[in-house]
Amino acid sequence: MKNLDIKIVLVILISYLFLSWVTTTIDDFFLPGSQPLQSGSFISPNTCDNCHGGYDLAAEPAFTWRGSMMAHAMRDPLYLASLTIANQDAVDAGDLCIRCHSPSGWLEGRSVPTDASNIMTNSIDMEGVHCHFCHRIIDPLSTDQADIDYMNTLTHVPTQSGNGAFVVDPLDIRRGPYDNIQVNHAYKYSSFYEESDMCATCHDVSNPVFSKAPDGTYQPNELGAEALSFDTYDMFPVERTFSEWKMSAYNSPEGIPSTAFGGNKTNVASCQDCHMKDVTGKGVDKNYAPIRTDLGQHDLTGGNTFIPELIKTQALAGIDTEAIDAGILRARYMLQNAATLNLNVVSNGGSGFTASVEIINETGHKLPSGYPEGRRMWIYLEAYDSNDNVIWESGAYDEETAVLNKKDTDNNDTKIYECKLGMSQGVADAANANNPGSYTAGESFHFALNNMVVKDNRIPPRGFTNANFAAIQAAPVGYTYVDGAYSDITTYNLPLETYKVEAKLYYQTVSKEYIEFLRDENVTNTLGDDMYNLWVSHGKSPPELMEVAEFYTDLLSSNHEIPINNSIKVYPNPARDNVNINLIFKASKPLKLDIYNLTGSLIETVYDGEIKSGNQTIKWQPDGYASGTYIMRFNFPEKSISRYIIIK
């Protein structure tokens, strides 16, 4: 329990009772690990910059970290608007959020009041998840005697990593994944920094207010009481990104081969392998520091390209717009490599065509993963006639209104990959007791009160089994995946007049519905309105294009042999990071695809192998290419074909 002065507790309760509809207490949100005032004090990341920044923007820890959402977890206006609603719904629910968004502020005792008002007055707290916090975390299962001695002073020691139940060294001893290194401060090697359990600390989140009942439902604990069990899987699941990885094929000694992720690694296994890829460089700006090929880039990005744009508008210390722009590019790269889209079209005789869109999950967790509120991924499919008119579509999105059409031309559901939470009738009734008519059972954005998963059709990772994902509270809901599945196929019936089919996969950080919820439900402050206005002025969370594929139905005709030149589609062109080379042949044939510059010098061989019959897409990433025009030379046994491509 937190040792809070009773007067402070009374002040907080009085201030929230007239706004919060469930009169929980801060003890309802108690979690194990280091408690406030048990881990000493923290220094600014600016101090760390003196040695770890300003010398190599591609490899140094400081620059890449400052471009991540970790650095801006407390500046995120979406989070702050959500925090307000959580505190409105349940007294002191914000304490659960603050511990992972400003852990040093939480540990130094400034999480009360739980609206983060004290956090916002401290410049170090506003640095979010920063160096001096992360590099003092202790593995809760550590066998080091000094660590054990400290943990013996704690009331509750976590038995696993997760839920913000961190253990943090009270001594200023920095920890990291390298041994036998020379440093100018106290240092201790810890293998924990190479393990995904480190990331579980804040990426396996449960709501401790709800405990799992024998019937599988989640029921509220007794008011003012700790959770019945602090086991992650005994509390209501909010986010299971780490556990999804834990039950995937990536969680193995060999991992999974990857050319998109991992940097200098050929296989990826841990969270760090993808989100802190190995690069070549020095971790510190000192002459004696070695040049490493296994230097973990402090990338730490996921798929969020929208909120960083909003962060840049804030006139606050600690905001490096150049670093944020670099972080946005890294996040976009993650999105563009997170999935493979395969499009196949077959003729239904004289009745039209059937298009099949397969989305393959190339990540080590569900796609998409993470905090569910408002984030989603969907398929946009269009059919064109020979005059390039759209004659059928599914998943249309209106950029002006930010409305995603939930139905296709034939009134079938748009394929949207998402997780939706909700509240039971009992919880809704309890909340309505203090605010009649405000809550309805079922699907809900009320994070602090939700105790049900209403929908979860997100694509599982390699290694998925229904039993394992049920064990971690991450089973599909309202959808079915067979054991071993890591892709999903959606079929569409298209008109006979279809000449071209185009499929796109989009990702959106936050939906219009969630933004309007934050605006309309806020009765405490202007943060909901502020977030809404930022959303409007910055494009309403523009969807990010993850993948695209095209198919021309004239290639299905059996009345003529398809000219090789017509069997090759290259898009997008111009391009920057990702190029799709779509080939459709009636019979398999060898291909060597080379890239030349305009002076005729060979730059790269993209492909050298056999192209199978049917529809096949080769993916090319022109990393490191200067802007300009290049020649793509397709060498087949019977002829060679050249295409120009412009790299932006």
Side-chain angles (χ1 to χ4, degrees):
M1 296 283 183
K2 294 182 180 179
N3 295 317
L4 297 175
D5 188 287
I6 189 64
K7 294 180 181 178
I8 297 178
V9 174
L10 289 173
V11 169
I12 299 305
L13 288 175
I14 291 169
S15 66
Y16 279 120
L17 279 176
F18 76 100
L19 289 177
S20 302
W21 314 130
V22 178
T23 53
T24 45
T25 73
I26 203 162
D27 289 331
D28 289 289
F29 299 96
F30 173 81
L31 288 165
S34 299
Q35 299 302 309
L37 309 182
Q38 292 184 335
S39 292
S41 59
F42 297 85
I43 62 173
S44 168
N46 294 334
T47 303
C48 305
D49 286 0
N50 291 332
C51 294
H52 296 284
Y55 60 93
D56 183 355
L57 301 188
E60 67 178 47
F63 182 77
T64 44
W65 169 79
R66 288 198 180 278
S68 73
M69 283 304 300
M70 302 280 275
H72 304 294
M74 264 309 302
R75 301 184 183 102
D76 179 354
L78 182 66
Y79 156 69
L80 293 173
S82 303
L83 180 70
T84 300
I85 303 299
N87 280 316
Q88 282 182 189
D89 288 339
V91 174
D92 293 330
D95 189 69
L96 181 63
C97 311
I98 292 171
R99 64 191 302 142
C100 275
H101 280 258
S102 182
S104 66
W106 189 89
L107 285 167
E108 288 195 16
R110 286 183 289 276
S111 70
V112 178
T114 61
D115 62 356
S117 53
N118 278 342
I119 297 287
M120 293 181 192
T121 63
N122 186 285
S123 61
I124 298 176
D125 294 354
M126 291 300 291
E127 296 285 4
V129 187
H130 59 74
C131 331
H132 205 216
F133 164 74
C134 280
H135 287 278
R136 282 169 54 189
I137 293 180
I138 295 173
D139 180 354
L141 303 181
S142 173
T143 57
D144 179 88
Q145 190 57 52
D147 294 345
I148 293 172
D149 290 343
Y150 168 63
M151 287 190 282
N152 284 338
T153 68
L154 304 180
T155 305
H156 292 280
V157 178
T159 57
Q160 62 198 135
S161 295
N163 222 33
F166 34 67
V167 179
V168 179
D169 197 334
L171 302 177
D172 187 9
I173 301 175
R174 324 286 168 83
R175 297 160 185 256
Y178 305 109
D179 55 7
N180 299 320
I181 63 172
Q182 182 179 348
V183 294
N184 293 330
H185 51 68
Y187 176 82
K188 179 183 287 187
Y189 163 74
S190 173
S191 62
F192 190 52
Y193 286 77
E194 300 174 280
E195 300 166 6
S196 293
D197 288 70
M198 169 76 173
C199 306
T201 304
C202 284
H203 293 280
D204 229 32
V205 181
S206 303
N207 188 342
V209 168
F210 297 104
S211 294
K212 191 172 185 179
D215 64 357
T217 62
Y218 295 89
Q219 301 299 328
N221 303 320
E222 182 181 345
L223 188 65
E226 298 174 359
L228 301 179
S229 164
F230 291 119
D231 185 292
T232 296
Y233 309 128
D234 288 338
M235 298 178 281
F236 179 68
V238 176
E239 176 184 344
R240 285 290 179 265
T241 302
F242 163 79
S243 289
E244 292 160 12
W245 164 86
K246 184 179 178 181
M247 293 301 181
S248 77
Y250 290 81
N251 181 19
S252 62
E254 65 278 3
I256 299 295
S258 177
T259 56
F261 305 118
N264 292 339
K265 284 187 170 73
T266 56
N267 284 30
V268 292
S270 68
C271 305
Q272 290 90 331
D273 287 348
C274 291
H275 296 279
M276 295 184 69
K277 66 182 181 182
D278 281 6
V279 296
T280 301
K282 298 167 66 171
V284 61
D285 188 18
K286 299 295 181 183
N287 292 332
Y288 57 74
I291 296 177
R292 301 182 182 277
T293 58
D294 63 343
L295 181 65
Q297 185 186 55
H298 283 53
D299 179 355
L300 307 170
T301 52
N304 196 338
T305 59
F306 176 59
I307 299 300
E309 292 287 356
L310 309 188
I311 300 292
K312 291 194 300 181
T313 68
Q314 302 181 42
L316 296 173
I319 294 178
D320 183 334
T321 57
E322 183 182 359
I324 292 175
D325 285 338
I328 291 171
L329 293 179
R330 294 196 306 272
R332 187 165 290 133
Y333 175 89
M334 297 292 278
L335 288 172
Q336 291 172 349
N337 289 277
T340 296
L341 187 158
N342 291 324
L343 170 64
N344 282 294
V345 180
V346 297
S347 173
N348 294 331
S351 62
F353 300 90
T354 296
S356 296
V357 178
E358 180 185 30
I359 307 298
I360 301 174
N361 182 358
E362 304 291 1
T363 75
H365 43 65
K366 285 187 179 182
L367 186 65
S369 187
Y371 186 67
E373 306 289 30
R375 69 177 66 183
R376 59 192 180 181
M377 184 175 77
W378 73 89
I379 297 172
Y380 179 36
L381 189 109
E382 296 172 285
Y384 296 80
D385 64 17
S386 58
N387 294 317
D388 210 30
N389 298 310
V390 176
I391 57 175
W392 194 97
E393 64 181 353
S394 175
Y397 180 83
D398 188 323
E399 294 184 357
E400 290 295 321
T401 64
V403 172
L404 171 61
N405 194 335
K406 304 296 178 64
K407 297 290 183 178
D408 64 22
T409 299
D410 296 327
N411 205 38
N412 299 310
D413 291 340
T414 293
K415 178 55 72 69
I416 306 171
Y417 298 99
E418 59 189 346
C419 178
K420 290 190 172 184
L421 305 181
M423 72 176 77
S424 66
Q425 187 64 58
V427 171
D429 290 344
N432 282 326
N434 286 333
N435 190 27
S438 295
Y439 297 93
T440 304
E443 183 182 326
S444 156
F445 283 132
H446 291 278
F447 153 75
L449 301 181
N450 287 335
N451 66 331
M452 303 188 307
V453 180
V454 177
K455 172 190 177 182
D456 189 354
N457 69 335
R458 297 172 297 170
I459 305 173
R462 288 169 170 82
F464 164 82
T465 68
N466 283 279
N468 283 346
F469 271 63
I472 61 168
Q473 308 159 296
V477 176
Y479 206 72
T480 301
Y481 288 101
V482 300
D483 286 355
Y486 57 93
S487 70
D488 184 55
I489 297 176
T490 308
T491 59
Y492 305 83
N493 293 318
L494 305 179
L496 182 62
E497 298 78 19
T498 299
Y499 173 70
K500 182 180 80 170
V501 182
E502 186 173 69
K504 296 178 179 178
L505 182 65
Y506 280 108
Y507 173 83
Q508 190 172 43
T509 298
V510 60
S511 67
K512 176 182 182 179
E513 291 84 355
Y514 188 51
I515 291 294
E516 291 182 340
F517 163 82
L518 295 176
R519 176 197 64 187
D520 297 341
E521 293 294 315
N522 191 316
V523 296
T524 304
N525 52 42
T526 65
L527 291 175
D529 287 326
D530 295 344
M531 181 62 221
Y532 179 83
N533 292 333
L534 285 169
W535 175 75
V536 170
S537 62
H538 287 78
K540 301 179 179 178
S541 189
E544 286 283 352
L545 179 62
M546 298 174 66
E547 273 277 26
V548 61
E550 293 178 341
F551 192 103
Y552 290 81
T553 59
D554 63 343
L555 299 175
L556 297 172
S557 172
S558 59
N559 297 326
H560 61 276
E561 196 64 36
I562 306 169
I564 288 180
N565 193 53
N566 292 342
S567 300
I568 303 170
K569 306 290 182 183
V570 178
Y571 57 93
N573 191 4
R576 173 59 266 173
D577 297 318
N578 293 275
V579 178
N580 297 284
I581 303 141
N582 187 239
L583 305 115
I584 304 176
F585 294 108
K586 292 187 177 298
S588 300
K589 60 181 63 188
L591 164 66
K592 187 170 185 249
L593 171 55
D594 295 321
I595 307 296
Y596 294 84
N597 61 23
L598 291 180
T599 66
S601 298
L602 176 65
I603 304 297
E604 179 184 0
T605 296
V606 172
Y607 188 88
D608 190 358
E610 185 178 60
I611 296 296
K612 297 178 181 179
S613 61
N615 185 3
Q616 185 171 337
T617 299
I618 298 171
K619 297 183 181 301
W620 172 45
Q621 297 169 345
D623 294 334
Y625 277 58
S627 299
T629 302
Y630 294 84
I631 301 169
M632 308 177 73
R633 191 159 186 82
F634 297 81
N635 298 298
F636 297 100
E638 60 268 47
K639 68 183 300 185
S640 294
I641 294 172
S642 294
R643 294 281 180 86
Y644 288 108
I645 184 162
I646 299 172
I647 303 301
K648 295 188 288 187

